Amino acid sequence: MSKFLSSRFSALEPYTPGEQPRDMKYVKLNTNESPFPPSKKVIKAVNSSEVLKLNLYPDPTGKELISKLAATYGVGEENVFISNGSDDILNFSFMAFCDKEKGVCFPEISYGFYEVYAKLYGLDYKKIPLRSDFSINPENYYSSGKTVVIANPNAPTGLTLSATEIEEILKTNSDSVVIIDEAYVDFGAESCVQLTKQYENLIVVMTYSKSRSLAGGRLGFAIANKNLIADLNTIKYSTNPYNINRLTMAAGIASLDSADYYKKCNQNTIEVREYTKTELEKRGFVLTDSKANFLFAKHPKIGGEKYYLALKSKGVLVRHFGSEKIKDYVRITIGTKAQMDILLKTTDQILREV
């Protein structure tokens, strides 16, 4: 940290992304990427003709992409916001809807960026404990007096709330914005998009990174009441209106014409998730009932960090979090069945050694 950094950031601890090591070839199950490539239509759309236009700025309004997203989700174009990944939208949301008077609350165990954003903007924030089984108690968010942020499915547990449970949170927080982060919703959870038509305080944030195989493209979108969308656009156009590049825009449009392909990929991920869960349970693991593209697992004979390091030494990467309440667990991204079979075979070797 340099002597020039503003003092207001001196205690800031940045978010730590999943590791991307280059020292050897790994079975990479640590960053919740899709194991499948983008659709053929996406690959065709990101073509030499588009590359030749990189001397020109992309459309800052993203009109064609927004129009397709609106049609896909059954909302108006004025109800859609697009940006450079869902992280960008979450960042804008913390800027737009939280301040010293209106703080923010989120689950104690959840996506790590929420606390980073809260500290970045000097917010009064509250981390709300989970139940003993890691599930979210919606009543803890009733009449919070703060902006509410919930990942559904939650990360890294994969557990979900129903739309009915989230609706009760909305009803009791009519003077606060409720942000539902649906990064993993396409793997078995219930979306709250339709509730945006009834509740002016709801923002649903989604991403192309997981279920549309575009983690490297950096594209996210939000659906909400038109006034909230206008607020987000105010922040976007006050920072970087060209924050979605031309190639990503083309890929995002083409992916919406590939619904059958992605539905098939996501169904495969769900089936492999359940297969892997069953196999890990046979080996003595305890797991949450994840509805995301990952599993959250622990074994009574080996700690989370030790298991993670043992897997890494044998060429399999998973994610371990060091916080006290979840240190015995690892988060395992669902890859192809072949990749998960390598995980299981490697796990068998490790368990024989403990």
Side-chain angles (χ1 to χ4, degrees):
M1 186 176 295
S2 80
K3 65 181 180 181
F4 303 106
L5 182 68
S6 171
S7 60
R8 70 183 186 275
F9 300 132
S10 60
L12 189 64
E13 295 182 19
Y15 174 74
T16 303
E19 58 189 318
Q20 306 279 355
R22 297 288 185 266
D23 58 321
M24 61 181 284
K25 186 176 181 179
Y26 289 93
V27 175
K28 196 168 179 297
L29 307 175
N30 68 321
T31 49
N32 297 342
E33 296 146 321
S34 171
F36 304 106
S39 71
K40 291 180 180 179
K41 289 181 179 180
V42 169
I43 295 168
K44 184 177 179 180
V46 184
N47 55 33
S48 58
S49 295
E50 284 299 317
V51 171
L52 288 171
K53 297 175 185 175
L54 285 177
N55 59 308
L56 305 174
Y57 285 111
D59 175 12
T61 69
K63 181 172 176 54
E64 185 178 355
L65 176 56
I66 284 177
S67 178
K68 276 189 171 288
L69 283 166
T72 298
Y73 287 91
V75 297
E77 293 182 19
E78 70 276 12
N79 302 118
V80 180
F81 176 81
I82 56 174
S83 202
N84 187 252
S86 59
D87 288 340
D88 210 31
I89 300 171
L90 292 167
N91 181 26
F92 288 161
S93 296
F94 273 71
M95 292 172 66
F97 307 117
C98 308
D99 52 33
K100 291 183 178 179
E101 289 72 37
K102 175 72 73 172
V104 63
C105 63
F106 43 83
E108 177 185 21
I109 298 169
S110 193
Y111 185 29
F113 238 140
Y114 302 155
E115 185 170 1
V116 173
Y117 289 140
K119 291 179 177 179
L120 177 65
Y121 297 116
L123 304 175
D124 173 28
Y125 69 94
K126 181 179 181 181
K127 296 195 292 183
I128 298 178
L130 303 179
R131 296 185 178 114
S132 60
D133 64 356
F134 294 132
S135 64
I136 292 172
N137 182 353
E139 294 181 6
N140 290 341
Y141 297 84
Y142 291 177
S143 304
S144 69
K146 299 178 183 293
T147 297
V148 176
V149 184
I150 294 175
N152 193 49
N154 196 16
T157 66
L159 297 177
T160 67
L161 292 174
S162 68
T164 299
E165 289 173 312
I166 290 172
E167 186 170 12
E168 290 304 313
I169 296 173
L170 288 163
K171 288 178 179 177
T172 65
N173 286 279
S174 59
D175 293 329
S176 299
V177 171
V178 176
I179 302 165
I180 303 299
D181 182 355
E182 292 191 349
Y184 303 102
V185 74
D186 292 330
F187 301 103
E190 185 181 6
S191 178
C192 290
V193 164
Q194 293 307 310
L195 291 178
T196 63
K197 298 176 181 180
Q198 300 172 241
Y199 295 92
E200 65 178 4
N201 59 328
L202 171 62
I203 300 176
V204 175
V205 180
M206 305 175 86
T207 180
Y208 276 72
S209 294
K210 318 300 181 183
S211 60
R212 288 193 174 98
S213 303
L214 278 177
R218 312 308 305 131
L219 181 60
F221 60 100
I223 296 174
N225 174 276
K226 65 179 182 179
N227 294 323
L228 294 180
I229 297 299
D231 293 338
L232 289 173
N233 275 313
T234 294
I235 300 297
K236 175 179 174 178
Y237 282 87
S238 299
T239 52
N240 181 9
Y242 297 108
N243 67 348
I244 302 175
N245 70 71
R246 177 177 293 277
L247 300 182
T248 292
M249 199 92 71
I253 292 166
S255 78
L256 296 176
D257 293 324
S258 308
D260 289 344
Y261 170 77
Y262 289 111
K263 183 177 180 180
K264 182 178 179 180
C265 291
N266 296 338
Q267 184 58 39
N268 181 279
T269 294
I270 292 169
E271 291 171 2
V272 173
R273 179 189 69 206
E274 296 308 305
Y275 160 76
T276 307
K277 180 182 179 183
T278 298
E279 289 299 315
L280 287 173
E281 287 175 336
K282 289 178 183 177
R283 290 159 171 80
F285 281 84
V286 176
L287 300 97
T288 59
D289 185 23
S290 174
K291 299 301 181 186
N293 68 336
F294 55 81
L295 292 169
F296 196 54
K298 72 172 182 178
H299 196 283
K301 291 185 178 180
I302 185 170
E305 184 177 21
K306 186 176 180 180
Y307 179 48
Y308 150 73
L309 290 172
L311 285 171
K312 184 176 180 180
S313 71
K314 297 179 185 298
V316 179
L317 275 183
V318 298
R319 187 103 193 244
H320 176 255
F321 301 91
S323 57
E324 184 64 27
K325 291 184 179 180
I326 58 173
K327 66 180 182 180
D328 290 334
Y329 286 79
V330 296
R331 191 194 68 193
I332 305 168
T333 300
I334 302 302
T336 63
K337 185 174 183 297
Q339 288 177 315
M340 306 318 289
D341 282 336
I342 292 172
L343 167 82
L344 294 168
K345 182 179 179 180
T346 307
T347 296
D348 288 339
Q349 296 173 359
I350 293 167
L351 291 178
R352 285 195 295 268
E353 296 168 1
V354 298

